[in-house]
Amino acid sequence: MTHHPFRLAALTLGVIIGFAPVQQARAADNQSKVIDRVITQVIRPGFEAFAKSAGTLAALTSELCEAPDAARFEATKAAFGDVIDSWGRVEFIRLGPLAHANRLERVMFWPDRRSGGLAQVQEAIRTKDESVTDPQTLVGKSVALQGLPALDFILAGTG
């Protein structure tokens, strides 16, 4: 019995094509496992750490505003540093809830190419604009007044 070269090629191609769905299923399963690990080991823990550090910062900031003193100021600045660190671990996420209602920009309005945010913060301080200290009215203002760069200037600005 002689084997025609085209029959051998067709048989080989049939075997390869038969394995393709198996390989695709394995690749999809591997991708799913990688995505699951990224979510469970990076994204969720990162946002949990950010939420925890932000909660601590909010509490310390309230205490500082109610009874300003050097110890509270230093504690608030340290908590701010923790928030910056935890934010840096998740700020690359640009989808999901952060993409809704300018949440990303409300946390970190950056880059501020024309320093408009800084000017707005300075103006609010200069005019003693009380509306920026109330969450109900602040939410309607520029995102540049709401996030970490604004708080950074308030804590470490020009005094």
Side-chain angles (χ1 to χ4, degrees):
M1 176 171 164
T2 60
H3 293 285
H4 194 282
F6 290 117
R7 284 187 189 162
L8 184 56
L11 179 61
T12 303
L13 184 58
V15 169
I16 291 171
I17 291 172
F19 283 120
V22 172
Q23 293 294 50
Q24 289 174 341
R26 284 184 184 154
D29 186 48
N30 287 341
Q31 289 174 343
S32 179
K33 288 177 182 175
V34 168
I35 291 168
D36 185 56
R37 280 197 311 263
V38 168
I39 290 169
T40 59
Q41 296 175 13
V42 177
I43 295 174
R44 282 188 186 140
F47 276 106
E48 287 168 0
F50 176 64
K52 182 179 178 184
S53 64
T56 299
L57 176 61
L60 289 171
T61 302
S62 287
E63 290 174 18
L64 176 64
C65 290
E66 289 174 20
D69 67 23
R72 285 188 183 92
F73 182 68
E74 291 305 318
T76 302
K77 284 181 16 180
F80 179 80
D82 291 343
V83 167
I84 294 295
D85 288 344
S86 63
W87 174 249
R89 292 185 194 102
V90 295
E91 62 87 24
F92 68 93
I93 310 287
R94 306 281 173 163
L95 48 95
L98 279 178
H100 179 69
N102 295 322
R103 285 184 179 138
L104 178 67
E105 292 79 11
R106 288 178 193 277
V107 174
M108 180 63 84
F109 180 67
W110 187 263
D112 183 1
R113 299 192 196 305
R114 291 178 266 155
S115 297
L118 175 60
Q120 290 177 46
V121 172
Q122 289 172 325
E123 180 66 11
I125 292 170
R126 186 186 68 72
T127 62
K128 297 180 170 83
D129 182 355
E130 294 289 324
S131 68
V132 298
T133 63
D134 179 357
Q136 299 300 321
T137 55
L138 181 60
V139 73
K141 296 190 176 289
S142 166
V143 294
L145 287 168
Q146 299 177 40
L148 296 173
L151 185 55
D152 181 42
F153 179 77
I154 290 167
L155 292 174
T158 61

